[in-house]
Amino acid sequence: MTAIAAKGLTKRYGDLTAVDALDLTVAAGEFVGVLGPNGAGKTTLLEMLEGLRKPDAGEVSVLGEPAWPRNRALQPRIGVQLQASAFFERLTAREQIHTFAALYRAPGSAADEWLERVGLVAKADTRVEDLSGGQAQRLSIACALVHDPELVFLDEPTAALDPQARRNLWDLLADINDSGRTVVLTTHHMDEAETLCDRVAIVDHGRLLQHDTPAALVAAHAGGGNLEDVFLALTGREYRA
Amino acid sequence: MRAFAHTPFGALSIAILRGFVRDRAALFFAVVFPLMFLVLFGALLSNQDQSEIDMITVGDVPLLEDLPADAREAFETTFEVEESDDLDAALAEVRDGDADVVVEQKGDTLVAHYTQTEQVKAAITQSTLKAYVDGANIAASGQPARFGFAAERVEDESLTTIQFFTPGLLGWAIATSAALGAAATLQGWRQTKLLRRLQLAPVSTGTVVGARVAVTIAIALGQTAIFLGLGAATLGLKLTGSWWMSIPLVVVGTLCFMAIGLLAGAIAKSTEGAVNMANFFVLPMAFLSGSFFPLDATPPWLQRVSDVLPLKHLNEGMLDVLVRGQGPSAALVPLTILAAFAVVVTLLAARLFRWDTA
């Protein structure tokens, strides 16, 4: 089964074509990393896949249903982590995840379970403003997963994490994927993509440059290097926005 | 309650309410700050009666000592009398401001010595003493008085200070917290991308907006209860018959000022900017709408300006039903005007609304 099927996806902002006739297919249960320099169009691509933005051209179907217009039947099946700051002000970690659970009509027990899975039981009564960057990141991932979605979008989930937190999060993400969920994440960490992802989609200037397994990409482009060498070979070394 | 907390609407409402009550600054400006004004105005202006006038009588003053009973009562509430035999010492006290007037009687003439620095007290002293002399003259003539005089205070039927200020300050408090709350929530949620996140959750925009509106109305009704309760319990506020019509006024007024806050939140680029802009709309409006002083004494052009301000109509409606003793129908015109404002401003805010900062 196909989790995501995007065809000819295009989005323009004025003169800028953020996403340019992009085709992308993600199989159910697959773990896909979307890589690209800043300004490559990753976020716009994800927003169209999530149903937040209307494509100017092309079409997306997610879990067999059109992603646009906002599809109420689809939303409970998708989990999205946008940014570690997307929280209700002045709520504790526990109140936060219970609120999200209620929004998705998920049981409160699931909220407590997820708090435990991301190691935040000790911080349950801490307000989100007082959590460290890594704790907030883990909480926002737990909030994205509390309703047991089939498909999960994670936007740079390991940004601002220390190595300990990053490795623990890798285990968590691998677990999520092993339990049959489809995971799409964006990242700047090539080692992360190499370790976690079944396939990587390298995006630049709104186009899909490559979409293959890390091993195949390294074999074809790196000339004895790693995924980062592939990435730089494909997207160049100039500074980006 | 637990079931309510597990519905999307209930969970959102509780989350928003918690965010508000844990925000000490918001709580302060919504409740404590306006109450401070109320207590301050009440204390400063409630005792508009002049304090007693300090009078020193020098030697015998038969005219004052033999006042008829009713005049004596009035005399004693107006003057605080001290007796002295030393005219020069008494005059020195007036000069130094320790006493207001020195009175002596020379034969049949009552002489009052006062300074011009206390003009009001001097005028009261003069007219009061002159009235006693006139009264004594009539009594001495043996003729019955032909003309009578009766004084009736109008304050009781119009408005005392606390009666006037409570509805106006309450209107300002409600307007401020509704507008600032809406502006800050919209901008804050947009900045943190919570708005986007909620858009991705299976809840309708109506549920999100409805929860925010419900919490704001609950807060406004709480402000009203605290204001009227404290006013009645400690500041001598007397509510009139159809005070309960203030409830629909508060509800519709809240919607109106939430819309103004949403407009500010839609225009502004940051949370601080949105809050400042909401304040920029509301605070001058409060001055021009009679929240802080009666509009009756202002120039006519200012009163015309105030007619186009929603807060003026909220204040007038609140005054009418809370303290002026008008019937429930007095609130209908203000309610209609506020509702119209709410609809127009909401439509405008909705046109300018964006889900995210981009």
Side-chain angles (χ1 to χ4, degrees):
Chain A
M1 199 190 119
T2 325
I4 299 172
K7 222 173 148 44
L9 214 50
T10 303
K11 183 75 192 177
R12 293 181 207 92
Y13 298 114
D15 290 340
L16 176 79
T17 303
V19 174
D20 193 359
L22 192 145
D23 297 339
L24 181 74
T25 313
V26 176
E30 205 176 1
F31 198 133
V32 169
V34 178
L35 311 183
N38 289 333
K42 299 187 300 287
T43 303
T44 306
L45 170 63
L46 245 61
E47 285 176 345
M48 286 191 287
L49 300 180
E50 291 158 359
L52 276 177
R53 283 188 201 279
K54 182 181 192 281
D56 292 327
E59 45 194 63
V60 202
S61 86
V62 171
L63 301 173
E65 307 213 26
W68 185 271
R70 248 179 104 189
N71 189 333
R72 293 286 290 281
L74 203 48
Q75 280 164 342
R77 301 170 66 193
I78 301 178
V80 180
Q81 179 245 349
L82 288 177
Q83 229 177 50
S85 63
F87 292 128
F88 293 94
E89 315 94 323
R90 290 175 287 279
L91 292 200
T92 66
R94 180 186 287 117
E95 290 165 347
Q96 201 73 240
I97 192 165
H98 275 269
T99 304
F100 274 104
L103 291 181
Y104 285 87
R105 297 185 181 278
S109 56
D112 291 328
E113 240 165 70
W114 270 104
L115 218 47
E116 202 177 323
R117 275 189 80 172
V118 296
L120 286 176
V121 172
K123 291 284 171 185
D125 296 318
T126 304
R127 291 194 192 175
V128 288
E129 290 85 357
D130 299 328
L131 293 178
S132 72
Q135 291 161 347
Q137 197 77 265
R138 272 140 62 199
L139 180 62
S140 79
I141 291 167
C143 288
L145 293 165
V146 70
H147 58 289
D148 199 13
E150 299 163 48
L151 170 61
V152 187
F153 291 100
L154 304 165
D155 196 2
E156 299 188 17
T158 58
L161 293 191
D162 63 21
Q164 284 78 10
R166 204 156 76 96
R167 290 307 164 110
N168 283 329
L169 197 59
W170 286 8
D171 294 341
L172 179 70
L173 296 177
D175 272 359
I176 293 164
N177 183 235
D178 288 345
S179 59
R181 295 184 185 87
T182 311
V183 180
V184 176
L185 92 162
T186 65
T187 183
H188 285 304
H189 297 292
M190 299 301 150
D191 54 342
E192 189 166 300
E194 220 163 345
T195 310
L196 291 173
C197 299
D198 300 321
R199 287 197 295 165
V200 241
I202 298 179
V203 177
D204 199 10
H205 304 294
R207 291 170 180 275
L208 181 64
L209 301 181
Q210 291 291 332
H211 189 199
D212 211 336
T213 62
L217 288 174
V218 169
H221 301 274
N226 57 19
L227 192 59
E228 187 147 336
D229 299 314
V230 178
F231 182 79
L232 290 172
L234 289 168
T235 59
R237 286 174 168 271
E238 300 84 35
Y239 284 115
R240 299 301 178 89
Chain B
M1 186 62 199
R2 283 197 66 81
F4 176 72
H6 287 226
T7 64
F9 178 80
L12 271 173
S13 304
I14 291 171
I16 295 167
L17 189 61
R18 278 186 173 139
F20 171 75
V21 296
R22 289 175 189 173
D23 184 349
R24 298 234 173 96
L27 211 55
F28 176 81
F29 281 107
V31 180
V32 182
F33 194 54
L35 275 177
M36 278 167 50
F37 270 72
L38 188 63
V39 171
L40 204 66
F41 282 3
L44 283 179
L45 303 171
S46 68
N47 202 354
Q48 291 249 0
D49 304 330
Q50 283 286 328
S51 54
E52 288 186 334
I53 297 170
D54 293 322
M55 173 187 282
I56 302 176
T57 56
V58 178
D60 283 341
V61 188
L63 246 172
L64 295 181
E65 280 150 19
D66 302 337
L67 283 174
D70 54 337
R72 162 127 317 257
E73 197 185 320
F75 178 80
E76 279 170 358
T77 58
T78 312
F79 298 103
E80 170 87 43
V81 182
E82 198 183 310
E83 289 177 7
S84 166
D85 292 321
D86 186 342
L87 182 62
D88 289 336
L91 288 175
E93 279 200 54
V94 172
R95 229 171 261 125
D96 295 344
D98 294 333
D100 296 305
V101 64
V102 172
V103 176
E104 58 174 337
Q105 189 167 345
K106 289 181 181 164
D108 285 340
T109 305
L110 195 62
V111 181
H113 306 270
Y114 58 90
T115 70
Q116 276 299 337
T117 45
E118 283 282 6
Q119 296 199 6
V120 175
K121 287 183 177 176
I124 293 172
T125 308
Q126 281 192 56
S127 53
T128 310
L129 294 182
K130 195 160 179 306
Y132 292 150
V133 173
D134 290 347
N137 279 335
I138 292 166
S141 73
Q143 297 281 331
R146 179 163 162 205
F147 298 106
F149 173 74
E152 278 177 25
R153 289 167 58 111
V154 276
E155 280 93 327
D156 293 343
E157 285 169 15
S158 173
L159 298 177
T160 60
T161 312
I162 199 72
Q163 302 286 88
F164 175 82
F165 279 109
T166 307
L169 285 172
L170 177 57
W172 169 60
I174 289 167
T176 303
S177 64
L180 265 57
T185 304
L186 179 56
Q187 263 298 333
W189 286 14
R190 185 153 58 206
Q191 298 287 335
T192 61
K193 293 209 173 184
L194 181 61
L195 214 49
R196 273 280 187 220
R197 184 66 187 78
L198 291 177
Q199 201 189 2
L200 286 165
V203 287
S204 64
T205 311
T207 305
V208 178
V209 174
R212 178 68 248 198
V213 168
V215 170
T216 311
I217 287 176
I219 292 169
L221 292 175
Q223 287 174 296
T224 308
I226 292 172
F227 246 74
L228 300 185
L230 265 179
T234 63
L235 298 167
L237 175 72
K238 289 184 196 71
L239 295 180
T240 53
S242 45
W243 65 269
W244 48 270
M245 272 305 276
S246 66
I247 294 171
L249 273 169
V250 167
V251 171
V252 179
T254 301
L255 293 177
C256 180
F257 284 94
M258 272 196 83
I260 288 174
L262 286 177
L263 184 64
I267 299 169
K269 299 265 183 291
S270 68
T271 311
E272 294 76 13
V275 168
N276 288 342
M277 191 178 297
N279 236 334
F280 176 77
F281 287 146
V282 174
L283 195 57
M285 199 190 300
F287 273 96
L288 298 176
S289 299
S291 280
F292 303 125
F293 51 83
L295 284 177
D296 308 342
T298 58
W301 65 265
L302 191 65
Q303 299 189 28
R304 294 292 81 75
V305 169
S306 74
D307 282 343
V308 303
L309 303 175
L311 185 53
K312 183 234 169 102
H313 299 283
L314 177 61
N315 286 347
E316 284 294 318
M318 296 284 266
L319 274 169
D320 284 348
V321 299
L322 283 178
V323 294
R324 279 190 185 137
Q326 303 215 15
S329 60
L332 293 181
V333 172
L335 277 174
T336 311
I337 294 173
L338 287 168
F341 259 104
V343 169
V344 171
V345 181
T346 303
L347 289 177
L348 194 60
R351 275 191 69 89
L352 296 170
F353 175 80
R354 290 155 298 154
W355 281 98
D356 54 23
T357 45

